[in-house]
Amino acid sequence: MTLLTTWPESGPETLVRRTSDPAEIAAALAPIGVRYEQWPVREDVPADADSDTVFAAYGAEIEKLNAQEGFTTVDVLGLHPSDDPEYPAKAKAARAKFLQEHTHDDDDEVRFFVSGSGIFYLHVGGEVHAVLCEKGDLLGVPRGTTHWFDMGTSPSFTAIRFFHEEDGWVGNFTGDRIADRFPDFDTIDAGYQRDRATA
């Protein structure tokens, strides 16, 4: 299950939309060219699975998407809390980088969440769409779309990344601090989990 929250770009004081219905989310994102779909979840895949395990579990889905979209490079990115003394610094640096609003000139940003969660914030057409993705969610953000990503203060996710270009992730940062005006991952996720617990 995922969550879409939409506000005016001026700030979160006015709520435009809030839904966790997958069909509504896909329909709301389609007009801005964003692909949202859900793949079957492989419950036997550990949250911190390595690349070989992930590719073996989702090979059919990966091949199908590659054939549809012409991706040339696929990899697996994971970040999970651990006893590694370097984890806090790695997590802080990774979060700070992606929290800056940016675009991509040469490639789409396509991610499938194998485990965990994160939020893509899409700044399009005078609105900000916060898409909380969880295990089983695939999101495709078209090149040129202004956005940022928040993985929270304690990142925990594994995602498959798809690229058309071998250069991989190359961001063009706008310098706009718009992300500071909107609820972060921890705030949205905490509210979402409370709502789910009481539903």
Side-chain angles (χ1 to χ4, degrees), residues 84-106:
D84 180 353
E86 295 183 9
Y87 167 78
K90 289 179 181 177
K92 185 176 181 180
R95 184 183 189 220
K97 176 181 179 181
F98 297 121
L99 263 178
Q100 300 176 63
E101 186 184 65
H102 60 276
T103 62
H104 304 290
D105 288 343
D106 300 323

Side-chain angles (χ1 to χ4, degrees), residues 40-49 53-54 56-58 114 135:
V41 172
R42 308 287 189 260
E43 296 292 356
D44 57 335
V45 177
D48 59 351
T53 301
V54 171
Y58 289 98
V114 176
K135 178 170 62 175

Side-chain angles (χ1 to χ4, degrees), residues 163-176:
F163 300 100
H164 292 103
E165 304 294 332
E166 292 185 7
D167 291 343
W169 195 95
V170 179
N172 301 309
F173 297 97
T174 67
D176 192 331

